[in-house]
Amino acid sequence: MKTIKIEHTWCESEDRWIYLEYNEQNKICGMNFMQGDEYEVFKTQYAENDKGLMEFYETMLYTFPIENKSVNTVDFINKVMWAYCSADQIRAKY
C-alpha cells in the first residue's frame, strides 16, 4: 500500500512523539515513536516505519477490539506502545 499522508503527533501526557503513516483508505499503515520532546531528534531518527511495532499494533487491533473502540485512536496507539515496550523489556530480562 502507498503512503499518502504522514503525521507527527506530540502526546504531552505520554511525553512522546508519534509518527504515523496513512494509506489511500486513511488507514494507519506505518508508525513509530520516541520518548521525550526533542523534535529534531525525532525527525531525524524516528520518522520512519517500525515494522515490528506496526505488526504488533495490527495484532492488537484484532486482539482488543473493544479496547480499540472505547478510546480515541491516539490513546489506543499509546496503550499499544506501552504494551510493546513492556513486553520487549520483560522478554529481554528473562
Side-chain angles (χ1 to χ4, degrees), residues 22-33:
Y22 295 86
N23 64 20
E24 294 97 350
Q25 290 79 38
N26 203 34
K27 186 175 176 190
I28 295 171
C29 62
M31 66 173 46
N32 204 346
F33 72 99

Side-chain angles (χ1 to χ4, degrees), residues 75-90:
D75 286 346
F76 184 74
I77 288 169
N78 276 311
K79 290 174 183 292
V80 168
M81 289 175 174
W82 283 121
Y84 183 76
C85 291
S86 296
D88 187 48
Q89 290 172 356
I90 292 166

Side-chain angles (χ1 to χ4, degrees), residues 14-92:
E14 304 295 338
D15 187 37
R16 78 167 45 121
W17 279 102
I18 297 176
Y19 169 84
L20 297 173
E21 296 177 357
Y22 295 86
N23 64 20
E24 294 97 350
Q25 290 79 38
N26 203 34
K27 186 175 176 190
I28 295 171
C29 62
M31 66 173 46
N32 204 346
F33 72 99
M34 182 195 84
Q35 287 302 128
D37 64 354
E38 298 177 50
Y39 186 58
E40 293 304 316
V41 173
F42 169 76
K43 287 192 308 186
T44 60
Q45 297 179 28
Y46 295 88
E48 62 185 26
N49 184 28
D50 178 326
K51 292 179 183 178
L53 175 59
M54 186 62 206
E55 185 174 337
F56 187 77
Y57 170 75
E58 288 174 334
T59 300
M60 294 299 97
L61 288 172
Y62 295 102
T63 304
F64 297 110
I66 295 170
E67 179 71 20
N68 180 29
K69 297 296 182 195
S70 70
V71 296
N72 70 48
T73 301
V74 172
D75 286 346
F76 184 74
I77 288 169
N78 276 311
K79 290 174 183 292
V80 168
M81 289 175 174
W82 283 121
Y84 183 76
C85 291
S86 296
D88 187 48
Q89 290 172 356
I90 292 166
R91 185 165 190 258

